[in-house]
Structures are given as C-alpha cells and as structure tokens.
Amino acid sequence: MKLNFNNISVKYKIIIVIITVTLMAQIIAAYLYVKYDKNEFIQNNLKNLIVNSQIISNNSTAAIIFDDAKQATDILKSLKAEKSVKFACIYNNQKKTFAYYKRDSSILTYRTLFFNSNKNTEITDNSITILRPIYDETDKKSTIGYIFLDRDLKDYDIRFSNFLFIIIIITIASLIFALIISTQMQKIISVPINKLSQTVKRITVNSDFSVRIDKKGTDEIGELIGGFNGMLSKIEEQNEALTLSKEQAISSAKIKEVFLANMSHEIRTPMNAIVGMTNLVLGTTVNDEQNDYLRHIKTSADNLLVIINDILDFSKIEAGKIEFENIRFNINDTLENLRKTFDFKLKGHGLDFIIEKEKDVPDYFIGDHVRLNQVLLNLVGNAVKFTEKGSISIIIRKQNETTDFVEILIFVKDTGIGIPKEKLDFIFQSFSQATSDTTRKYGGTGLGLTICKQLIELQNGKIWVESEHGIGSSFCFTIKYRKASAPSLSELQELSIQNIVTVTKDILENSKILIVEDNQLNLLLAKTILRKQNFKIVDFAENGQIAIELLKKSDYDVILMDLHMPIMDGYEATLFIRGNLSGKKRNVPIIALTAAAIKGEKEKCFEIGMNDYISKPFKPEELFSKIIKFLQPKE
C-alpha cells in the first residue's frame, strides 16, 4: 500500500513537521556556519601568506641584489614550518626564476604566473596563491623581484571533516530531543482534534447528536470545537423537529388509513344495500316508469362508487401501497369488456364507440390488466361524460418492441367539449378540472386523470393530452408489457373445466349457510339473494360471538362473515373458529364480506384463515359463484 502523508494521523503529522523543521534548521545553520568559517579561514590564511611574503621579501633583498640564489633558497626553506605552503618561488626583475621551494618532490610543474594580469591574489576551492613585488630597501619604488606563494587547503578539509562529524552528532542528538519533546507537545493540538474525530465517528455510527466536546481555549481549535458544538445543537434541534414531524406524519397516515377504512366501510355498507336492493327490484316486474327511475338510482350509485374508488386508489398511490400483478391476459377481452360496460351509456347518449387495434399489436401480454382496464374505464368514462354528440374512439398501436417487451401506444379520442389550451398543463393535477363550471355541470372529483397518470407512470409509461376547446380531446399513453404467447389447447381445456359449475337442486336445498352481519339491510339483501338462488337453509348472526355459539350447535357448509361488527368482529371470530374448534367446524369455509376495501384487508383475511373475500357492494352472481365454489363435491 502506497504511503500517503494525507492518510497519516494528525499526531504523527505534527511530530514529522517538528522533526523536519528541526532538521532543516540544523542543516541551514550548519551550511551557513561552514560558509562563514571557510571564508574566515581563507581570509586569515591569506593575511598569514601576505605576512610571510613580506618577511621573505625583506630577507631576500640582499640575495637578489648580489645574485645569491643559494641564500635565497635557504630563506625559502624557512617555509617548512608552514606545512600548508606547497610551493614558493622568488623571481628576479626579469621575471625569471631565481630561487624556489616545494614541499613535496612530487610537485613537478608549477602554475603559470600571471605577471601580465592585474590579479595578485587567486583563491580557489583547493588553494590560495599570491604574487607580491620585492622592493629595493634603499629605493622603495624600485622592484628588484617577485615572491610567489602557493598554499593548499588540505588543513581546512581536515577541519571540515571534524566539524561535519560534530555536526552530525549534534543533529542526531537534537532530533532525538525534538522527537521526545514533539511527542509530548503534539498532544496540545492532536488531542482535541482526535476528540473531534472520535466524536464525529460516534455520531456517524450512533446518530447521537446530543454529544458535545469540551472547549478549553479561544484559538482556532477552540473556535472549531465551538462551531462544531453549535452545528450539533442545530442538527439536534432539526432532528427533533424532523422526528416530531415524522411521528406526526406516521400518526396522520395511520389516522388517514383508519379514516379511509371507516369511511369505506360506512359508505359501502349502505351502498351495498342500495345497489343490491336496486338490482333485486330490477329483477322483478316493474312498469317502464319505475324501471327508468331504478336505473337512474343504479347509475347514481355506480357513479358514487367510482368516486369512492378514486379516493381510495389515490390514497393507496400516495402511501406507496399499490402493487401490480404480472399475469397473462388477452387485450381483446379487455376491449370487449370495455365495450359491454359502456354499451348502455353510449346508446343513451347516441354516441358511436370505435375500437381500432392495429394488426401488428399482439393479443396476449403479461402485466396488470386490471389496472389497464381501470385507466381505460376512467378515460372512456371522462370521454362519455364530456361528449354530447359524435364518437369516442380507442386506437391501439405498437410503439416499440424488444426481445422480451412490447410498448404499445393507446389513444382515447372524443368529439366532446375539449380542454382550453391554458388548462392542459394542469389537467393531471389532483382535484383539478378544466373549469368550475365543469364540476358543477358534469360532476366528478378531479382525481380520475391523476390516478391514470400515476398508474401509468408507476409502470414506467407516459401519458399526455392533445385537445382543442370545442372540438375534442385525445388522451394518449404508452405502456410496456412483457410478451406472452397464446394459451395452449390443454390450458384452455383446463380453464374450461374450472369454469364449469354444476349446481344441483339437492346442493342448493341441503346446504346450510350462516350469514354473520350486523347491518339489517345488508343481512336482508344477502338472505334475499340466497333465497332467490334456492338456498333453503340460511341462518344469521349479528356478531361473531353469536356466530360461534350457532356453529357449536350446528354444522354449516359456508359462513359469510362481515369483518367489522360490535362485541366480536369477523377477525376475532375466524381466529377462534380456526384455533378452538375441531373437525368440520374448524375447517368450515369462511368468505369475508367487507365494505372496507382498502389495501391489506384481503391479505389479512387470508392470513388469519379465511377462504375467500368479497368487497361490498357485490353483484349477486359474484356472491353465488363464491359460495358454489365451496359446495362443489370433492373429487
């Protein structure tokens, strides 16, 4: 692993910085001292050479005048005492060698003199050389010769080596001392920083923003700790506010969920009676005027149910509790059911209904056909509501195709009132309609298009609208489904067998049905439906406790169990039956009847042991088919 200074602890960074500074200071100080010392050494030895040259000049005057080279040589030999002088030479006034001295016989050649130069002193890294004139003692202005001295600096090299050794010893000692001192002194800075770092880690792990660090000064670190503590205080305050808001939001969501469940139950319970009784009356002999009134009642009830379902769906989507199925379906069946659903309304409005599916669009897909049907019902329902003449068209085209998926484009077009251009951007917003007049004239909550948009986008689709006021609208959406093949012959045969319901008179007359329902109108409705289907033995109970007492005394083939009842509700009753009774009584089929059609209700019913589920208001044929399913003889 590559060492990176940025990854080293602050403690060691401080120590490294102190030692580095100490070392650099030692090196700079040593360098400057060596430069100074060498310069002083050279200057002192230069003065010494000049003094020697003057002494030799004074002593050798006579020898030069009388041309006594031997005497001059003897005078030069006195330089043996100066061991650093390696060469000395006396020249006559013709600049010819008169006498010389060399310290070492190995010195063979002499440097070229610079008589013609203004320089009389030369200093190099290895030597000092001087050239001085020799004057006549009687005539100080008359030059009779020259003295040349060459001194090496080997003695300084020895001096420098000794100094370097001492400097290294001192540097090592000072670095050890600096290490010891810095190890202790770094705590002044590193300890509060480490505390800050550990506090950050602890806060990150435990999310505890109540922790604070003691502030012991007003320097930069103290200001940093103070700022950090202040930041923690603000975060703690914000967290408390967020926690409170979250708790309030959760509480509000629970209250909302309970409210929706209660609202659904309270509205659907009487709606079940209204719709059911209306259907029963429509099945009797009534005159045309009565039939017309009843159909208006049924239409109003159906419209009210649409509004209730819209509100519940909107709440489910907002809470993120909506789920999508992935099952094979035939889009042609969906379109045909759509046609049947709106056939009566369209004829009443005198509108043409056109369905156009292009040939390259497959028949079978894997996806949630219920949600597709919901979107189409909403869009076509809106088109019918806002179209007084002309036609409504559904056009389906293939948009894109991959190996596994097909994206289809669906248009729902009408020749209705259209949407003003300035309202197009708001048409998919919650509780929004084109104008207030629209709401008053045509009704509705303004949730239908919002739900359509959210359902499509949750399936990674896209929806938009093209409209011109007074001419009509075209709602377009894309949706992607997995490809599916048509069912095989064996699958079709198996499905046909499952759909065959054989009902004998003996089954109807001898089956015992127990209805557990606290609402008298719904009880009357259920009993009437069953009696009309020729069930002879139908008992009832007002709550779960009475139902258990009846079940203990007698066996029943099917129990229709309402969920929300006083004293003991359907959940408690089912749990008691499954957990405390035995044999046929323990395993009696229980079908839940509930008006609280909210997310999780159906799953909860199956979880506690119920066998099936019917949401109020229900259709008579739906109730009948659910019951018959459990009365069929076991093969």
Side-chain angles (χ1 to χ4, degrees), residues 205-439:
V205 173
N206 302 325
S207 297
D208 181 9
F209 296 98
S210 63
V211 179
R212 297 293 182 271
I213 305 174
D214 293 335
K215 180 180 175 182
K216 296 183 179 180
T218 58
D219 59 359
E220 288 82 353
I221 295 177
E223 290 180 358
L224 177 62
I225 292 173
F228 184 74
N229 287 337
M231 182 179 67
L232 287 177
S233 297
K234 289 184 178 179
I235 293 175
E236 188 177 14
E237 290 174 5
Q238 291 174 352
N239 272 3
E240 289 176 356
L242 287 172
T243 301
L244 181 61
S245 298
K246 182 181 177 182
E247 290 174 354
Q248 290 174 344
I250 293 172
S251 177
S252 297
K254 289 181 178 178
I255 293 171
K256 181 180 177 181
E257 188 173 346
V258 172
F259 170 75
L260 286 173
N262 291 335
M263 183 191 74
S264 174
H265 181 267
E266 295 303 320
I267 296 177
R268 284 174 177 271
T269 297
M271 284 300 300
N272 183 55
I274 294 170
V275 173
M277 292 297 181
T278 303
N279 287 328
L280 289 176
V281 176
L282 282 171
T284 64
T285 303
V286 293
N287 59 42
D288 291 341
E289 184 179 5
Q290 291 171 330
N291 186 73
D292 188 47
Y293 294 157
L294 289 169
R295 288 195 176 277
H296 278 88
I297 293 171
K298 187 176 185 303
T299 300
S300 298
D302 290 341
N303 290 338
L304 183 56
L305 279 175
V306 168
I307 293 172
I308 296 168
N309 290 334
D310 281 351
I311 294 171
L312 290 174
D313 281 339
F314 181 71
S315 300
K316 288 179 190 176
I317 294 170
E318 273 196 329
K321 292 185 176 181
I322 197 159
E323 295 177 357
F324 296 95
E325 293 182 336
N326 281 296
I327 59 174
R328 180 170 57 190
F329 69 95
N330 188 333
I331 196 169
N332 296 320
D333 294 340
T334 302
L335 296 173
E336 186 57 32
N337 290 333
L338 195 67
R339 184 192 297 276
K340 291 177 180 178
T341 301
F342 287 98
D343 184 59
F344 177 75
K345 281 188 178 180
L346 290 167
K347 286 180 180 178
H349 287 70
L351 299 174
D352 294 327
F353 193 33
I354 303 166
I355 297 178
E356 180 185 320
K357 181 167 95 49
E358 296 188 352
K359 293 181 179 179
D360 60 346
V361 178
D363 294 332
Y364 289 91
F365 298 99
I366 292 177
D368 195 327
H369 71 288
V370 174
R371 294 302 178 185
L372 174 62
N373 187 61
Q374 183 178 354
V375 170
L376 290 173
L377 282 171
N378 224 316
L379 295 179
V380 175
N382 269 359
V384 174
K385 185 190 300 183
F386 300 119
T387 305
E388 296 180 353
K389 60 181 179 178
S391 64
I392 295 169
S393 303
I394 298 178
I395 302 170
I396 304 175
R397 297 175 185 166
K398 183 167 71 175
Q399 180 87 341
N400 290 306
E401 183 175 7
T402 63
T403 306
D404 299 320
F405 292 90
V406 174
E407 184 180 48
I408 57 175
L409 173 62
I410 301 178
F411 299 88
V412 178
K413 297 184 176 182
D414 64 64
T415 56
I417 61 174
I419 304 167
K421 187 176 180 179
E422 65 273 11
K423 298 293 183 180
L424 290 176
D425 293 337
F426 308 99
I427 200 67
F428 291 107
Q429 290 184 1
S430 305
F431 305 102
S432 174
Q433 291 192 347
T435 65
S436 57
D437 291 339
T438 303
T439 305

Side-chain angles (χ1 to χ4, degrees), residues 582-597:
S582 59
K584 185 178 178 181
K585 299 180 188 295
R586 179 193 183 98
N587 298 311
V588 59
I590 300 175
I591 301 174
L593 292 178
T594 179

